[in-house]
Amino acid sequence: MATSKPIVSSSFSYETLEEKLDIKSKRASLHIGIPKETAFQENRVALIPDAVNVLVDNGHEVSVETKAGEGSKYSDNDFSEAGAKIVYEREEIFKAPIIIKSAPVVEVAIPHLQMNQSIISPIHLSILKKNIIGEMMAKRVTAFGFENIKDDSGTYPIVRSMSEIAGSAAMLIAGLYLGSPYNGKGVLLGGISGIPPTKVVIIGAGVVGEFATRTALAMGASVKVFDNNVYRLKRLQNNLGMRVWTSVIEPKILAKQLKTCEVAVGALSTGEGRSPIVVSEEMVMNMRAGSVIIDVSIDRGGCFETSEITTHEHPTFLKHDVIHYCVPNIASGFARTASHAISNVLMPLLLSASKEGGLDEMIWHDFNLRHGVYMYKGHLTNFYISQRFDLKYTDLNLLIASRR
């Protein structure tokens, strides 16, 4: 049986195309600027002197605005000895191609931003303003929200570090305000031999709740944990390596436990939006006089109905004879530890960016860093922000691919 042969038209020419390989750029030298934070209650600095010294030793230039580390007890001399250049004019510090901040971009910084600048800072969606985003877009800024930067394990290292600090600090703060000098019950958190342990109720089994539980147990307290996510409750017990009293948030059970506790910690976390109020004013009224509420969730509105934002200067108020501590950004109250934690993440990231050929190149190769980008060369790449402010959204992957 005859077989037909393929017919090739002479009007077409076939040519093998060369394969294009992705060749990484050569190592880049970075110029990093660290301005002094002017945001309310912000005492942290994004890079500590030890990290600056590593960057300088690797051939990078770091400029630090005078007194930028003052809130974390780092002097200009500490940074200067580490190899940083101390800058005394605010306009000068913003001339660096890469700006690293421990607080969000604020309105007073907008006039100083340069065209095509890169900024690494938190976003803080609750206080974000449309005009700030618009000005950054006009100046073709590339912006990274460091709370959205992931690591190889898929977690958010800076958020986790700040949550660990807040959880541990919550119990230390509670122990302080239980004392008689602060009109507390006059009991020692954890108790001593022969005296029953103090009772702590923790609402939320996330990272904050876990570290609050760890600290409370280490101090000898009796701990009861509530959360509506059973998986989180299981994970908490697995991470602690021991069984603790846990429950879903059922109002009658929660009210009963709050009525007899000395300390209540609000540590509920939500993906976006306000934290749910799970403790009513009536529940607070039935708590013991002199007991302490630490509402760590106040950053997102608080989960106690009686909570009101306070400051580090005036951290507490008394309502229904219960002491309320509702300071947002608790980590900033332990600024040196918090600064060290942020620096531990950002310094290796900057060294990796240098090896890749700069932040732009690293965005292409590193999906973890790409996850933190909310603006790329003036294009808004965060869908939530675009919807909130009715601004044009552009897919980051398409933007990067079009520039390769």
Side-chain angles (χ1 to χ4, degrees):
M1 183 177 178
T3 57
S4 59
K5 295 183 179 179
I7 300 173
V8 180
S9 173
S10 58
S11 62
F12 290 95
S13 62
Y14 296 89
E15 183 177 345
T16 304
L17 297 177
E18 293 181 0
E19 181 182 4
K20 293 183 178 180
L21 297 177
D22 181 24
I23 301 174
K24 292 186 178 181
S25 302
K26 294 182 179 179
R27 182 182 179 277
S29 180
L30 308 178
H31 181 191
I32 302 156
I34 305 173
K36 176 177 170 56
E37 299 298 348
T38 58
F40 179 61
Q41 293 193 158
E42 184 54 72
N43 299 311
R44 299 170 297 179
V45 63
L47 290 174
I48 65 173
D50 289 342
V52 169
N53 184 245
V54 173
L55 290 168
V56 172
D57 285 349
N58 279 271
H60 306 297
E61 182 180 350
V62 181
S63 299
V64 179
E65 186 177 358
T66 181
K67 297 183 179 179
E70 191 175 43
S72 301
K73 306 303 179 186
Y74 291 113
S75 66
D76 286 353
N77 185 62
D78 292 332
F79 283 105
S80 180
E81 289 292 320
K85 176 186 176 183
I86 306 300
V87 177
Y88 295 89
E89 298 294 332
R90 191 161 183 80
E91 295 80 6
E92 287 297 314
I93 199 69
F94 279 93
K95 290 182 180 179
I98 300 173
I99 298 295
I100 300 183
K101 291 169 53 61
S102 58
V105 178
V106 291
E107 290 183 76
V108 293
I110 293 297
H112 304 309
L113 296 182
Q114 308 295 306
M115 291 293 292
N116 298 306
Q117 201 162 37
S118 294
I119 300 175
I120 303 175
S121 73
I123 305 177
H124 289 191
L125 294 172
S126 59
I127 62 172
L128 195 61
K129 295 181 180 179
K130 183 176 181 178
N131 65 309
I132 293 177
I133 292 294
E135 291 290 339
M136 291 171 67
M137 291 173 71
K139 294 193 175 184
R140 299 180 59 79
V141 165
T142 297
F144 305 79
F146 67 41
E147 64 263 60
N148 291 331
I149 296 174
K150 290 185 175 183
D151 59 16
D152 292 336
S153 67
T155 59
Y156 304 93
I158 293 180
V159 173
R160 182 174 178 85
S161 295
M162 297 305 105
S163 297
E164 289 179 7
I165 292 171
S168 300
M171 299 316 305
L172 301 179
I173 293 165
L176 177 68
Y177 285 102
L178 278 175
S180 300
Y182 297 94
N183 297 316
K185 281 191 67 178
V187 298
L188 182 67
L189 182 61
I192 59 172
S193 301
I195 299 175
T198 49
K199 182 176 173 181
V200 175
V201 171
I202 296 173
I203 306 170
V207 178
V208 175
E210 178 187 331
F211 276 78
T213 303
R214 285 181 185 275
T215 307
L217 291 172
M219 297 174 79
S222 171
V223 183
K224 299 182 186 299
V225 184
F226 288 83
D227 199 300
N228 267 343
N229 189 319
V230 177
Y231 165 73
R232 284 183 179 174
L233 294 173
K234 290 179 180 178
R235 184 183 62 187
L236 171 74
Q237 298 198 99
N238 289 336
N239 290 347
L240 292 174
M242 60 185 296
R243 310 298 293 178
V244 294
W245 192 101
T246 60
S247 172
V248 295
I249 302 174
E250 202 284 318
K252 289 184 179 179
I253 298 175
L254 179 58
K256 180 181 178 181
Q257 296 303 324
L258 288 171
K259 195 173 182 179
T260 56
C261 76
E262 278 77 34
V263 178
V265 177
L268 280 179
S269 60
T270 55
E272 292 174 355
R274 194 194 193 287
S275 295
I277 295 175
V278 296
V279 179
S280 67
E281 186 166 358
E282 184 181 354
M283 292 181 187
V284 175
M285 289 173 65
N286 291 326
M287 291 177 68
R288 293 173 174 174
S291 54
V292 178
I293 287 174
I294 309 290
D295 198 345
V296 184
S297 299
I298 196 66
D299 295 86
R300 291 188 176 271
C303 56
F304 291 81
E305 190 176 7
T306 52
S307 291
E308 299 172 11
I309 290 180
T310 58
T311 67
H312 286 295
E313 289 74 24
H314 304 284
T316 64
F317 64 90
L318 197 67
K319 193 165 188 178
H320 304 307
D321 292 324
V322 177
I323 298 170
H324 290 64
Y325 182 98
C326 304
V327 178
N329 194 5
I330 288 177
S332 185
F334 301 84
R336 196 175 178 100
T337 299
S339 297
H340 204 151
I342 295 171
S343 191
N344 284 348
V345 177
L346 295 185
M347 184 268 288
L349 185 149
L350 291 167
L351 290 178
S352 297
S354 168
K355 292 177 182 178
E356 295 283 355
L359 286 171
D360 281 352
E361 288 294 325
M362 191 173 178
I363 292 172
W364 171 253
H365 295 107
D366 192 323
F367 288 95
N368 292 327
L369 178 63
R370 192 184 301 184
H371 196 270
V373 178
Y374 66 93
M375 186 180 297
Y376 183 74
K377 297 188 182 300
H379 298 276
L380 189 59
T381 59
N382 183 290
F383 187 70
Y384 174 78
I385 297 176
S386 72
Q387 279 195 318
R388 178 178 170 183
F389 296 125
D390 193 25
L391 295 169
K392 181 183 177 182
Y393 165 79
T394 308
D395 186 275
L396 177 60
N397 296 316
L398 296 179
L399 274 174
I400 296 173
S402 67
R403 296 175 187 270
R404 300 308 294 179

